Amino acid sequence: MEKKQYILLTLVTVLCGFSAWTFSGKNDNFSEKHTEIILRDIGHQLLLHAHDSTSRVLPVKKTGENSYEISFQSSFTFVTDSMVAIIDKHLKKNNFQKDYMVNVLNCQSRTVIFGYEISTKTNSVQPCLGRTQEKACYIIQIDFLGAHESNYFWFLTFPLFLFIFYFIRNNSTKKTILDSPPEQDAIQLGKFTFLPTKSQLKIKSEQIELSKHENKLLFLLNEQRNQVVEREHLIQEIWEKDGVIVTSRSLDVLVSKLRKKLSEDTTIQIMNSHSKGYKLVCE
């Protein structure tokens, strides 16, 4: 390793550490706003699951250092199992605190209608599952058990990891693409190579990333290539199995996005079959 590389690494590390110290207050503010957005999205998903796409989720209130309340414009009903699944899925997806407590309060009396605790240290407590609660005005209270861990350490370590990656990459034995083994899950779609486990499309030297839903849609259509796959089946497999309720329009938008990513090969088409569904056609 050359002396200049050592100097560059040291300089970048010092600058990143200084930035972390200088903007730590701003980062806290950003984290707070991010938390509110995620919690409002949880409220939105609960309303959609209750077949309510018009009511509004009110601004999230912070009631303590690690406590928040989600309130709603209108009354709604919920199934306890679905609420547990929706909240846990969204918190895990966004890397939130793993230990938390949820209490559902009646708006007027502030009495607890339903509550549970998720904990990695003790057994999780989830009573009264499988019940459908009556339509009423509810407030969802979420308490994160313990302070959020700081990520400032990564400001210091990231340059080091970046440099190590760069050094190994440039000093390792170079191999051409032809020397690399074929992908085990590779599916050939015209000029494209579809890698479902990596959510990728490859064409020549270009690599196209697919979203989770785009990847699942293409996989389902390819399973029945040149055959119509019903809209209801696609919606169920892509969204409803994860507890998300969407309209048929969401599928049309998703198909449109996937078509754009496949546009480099005109022999591949996703065709609409008279509102019955879609089929993947490969010449």
Side-chain angles (χ1 to χ4, degrees):
M1 192 181 299
E2 297 179 3
K3 183 177 180 180
K4 290 182 179 179
Q5 293 174 325
Y6 276 117
I7 296 174
L8 179 61
L9 175 61
T10 304
L11 179 60
V12 173
T13 303
V14 171
L15 289 175
C16 289
F18 178 75
S19 298
W21 174 75
T22 304
F23 297 104
S24 59
K26 294 181 179 180
N27 188 71
D28 288 342
N29 185 55
F30 170 80
S31 177
E32 192 67 41
K33 295 295 182 183
H34 179 69
T35 300
E36 293 177 5
I37 291 172
I38 299 305
L39 294 181
R40 288 197 71 175
D41 186 48
I42 289 175
H44 175 66
Q45 295 301 326
L46 290 172
L47 289 179
L48 290 179
H49 197 270
H51 306 289
D52 183 350
S53 59
T54 58
S55 297
R56 190 165 60 92
V57 181
L58 300 178
V60 173
K61 294 181 180 179
K62 184 175 182 181
T63 57
E65 183 178 356
N66 299 301
S67 301
Y68 299 85
E69 287 187 353
I70 308 171
S71 52
F72 305 86
Q73 180 186 34
S74 306
S75 299
F76 69 101
T77 184
F78 66 91
V79 180
T80 53
D81 302 64
S82 298
M83 174 176 285
V84 172
I86 290 172
I87 293 176
D88 193 59
K89 174 188 173 183
H90 278 69
L91 292 181
K92 285 182 177 178
K93 182 175 70 174
N94 292 279
N95 299 317
F96 268 73
Q97 186 86 11
K98 294 182 179 180
D99 298 343
Y100 60 92
M101 182 182 296
V102 176
N103 284 304
V104 182
L105 313 177
N106 180 278
C107 294
Q108 285 75 35
S109 62
R110 300 285 296 187
T111 55
V112 177
I113 305 301
F114 169 66
Y116 65 94
E117 178 182 340
I118 300 295
S119 175
T120 55
K121 298 177 181 178
T122 60
N123 293 329
S124 299
V125 181
Q126 301 179 30
C128 306
L129 294 180
R131 297 185 180 182
T132 301
Q133 301 294 333
E134 63 180 10
K135 189 174 184 179
C137 177
Y138 296 114
I139 295 173
I140 301 175
Q141 188 179 75
I142 300 181
D143 296 308
F144 296 105
L145 306 179
H148 295 286
E149 296 179 358
S150 173
N151 292 319
Y152 299 145
F153 173 75
W154 294 102
F155 281 98
L156 300 175
T157 59
F158 177 73
L160 178 59
F161 287 124
L162 184 63
F163 182 80
I164 293 174
F165 170 77
Y166 176 82
F167 182 80
I168 293 175
R169 180 182 178 184
N170 285 276
N171 289 277
S172 61
T173 303
K174 296 183 179 179
K175 296 182 179 180
T176 63
I177 297 177
L178 294 176
D179 293 330
S180 59
E183 301 283 353
Q184 293 183 353
D185 69 330
I187 299 172
Q188 200 63 37
L189 293 175
K191 299 177 183 178
F192 287 100
T193 300
F194 175 37
L195 305 173
T197 58
K198 294 184 178 180
S199 298
Q200 290 178 351
L201 282 170
K202 291 184 178 180
I203 181 169
K204 298 179 182 178
S205 60
E206 184 181 0
Q207 182 173 293
I208 303 172
E209 300 296 330
L210 298 175
S211 69
K212 173 186 174 183
H213 291 157
E214 291 169 346
N215 186 64
K216 192 175 291 186
L217 172 60
L218 184 55
F219 183 81
L220 292 170
L221 293 175
N222 180 69
E223 279 189 322
Q224 303 183 51
R225 191 185 298 189
N226 298 317
Q227 298 180 37
V228 176
V229 185
E230 295 184 354
R231 301 177 72 92
E232 291 76 12
H233 176 70
L234 293 172
I235 291 174
Q236 181 182 21
E237 291 295 319
I238 297 172
W239 287 285
E240 292 183 355
K241 277 193 173 181
D242 293 330
V244 179
I245 307 300
V246 299
T247 63
S248 186
R249 173 63 179 162
S250 297
L251 177 60
D252 297 331
V253 172
L254 184 63
V255 169
S256 178
K257 292 180 179 178
L258 184 57
R259 279 173 174 159
K260 290 180 180 178
K261 294 187 176 181
L262 293 169
S263 61
E264 290 191 42
D265 188 349
T266 57
T267 65
I268 301 176
Q269 297 183 53
I270 301 178
M271 302 183 67
N272 185 12
S273 180
H274 305 294
S275 300
K276 293 181 180 180
Y278 289 97
K279 66 177 177 179
L280 180 67
V281 178
C282 298
E283 298 181 9

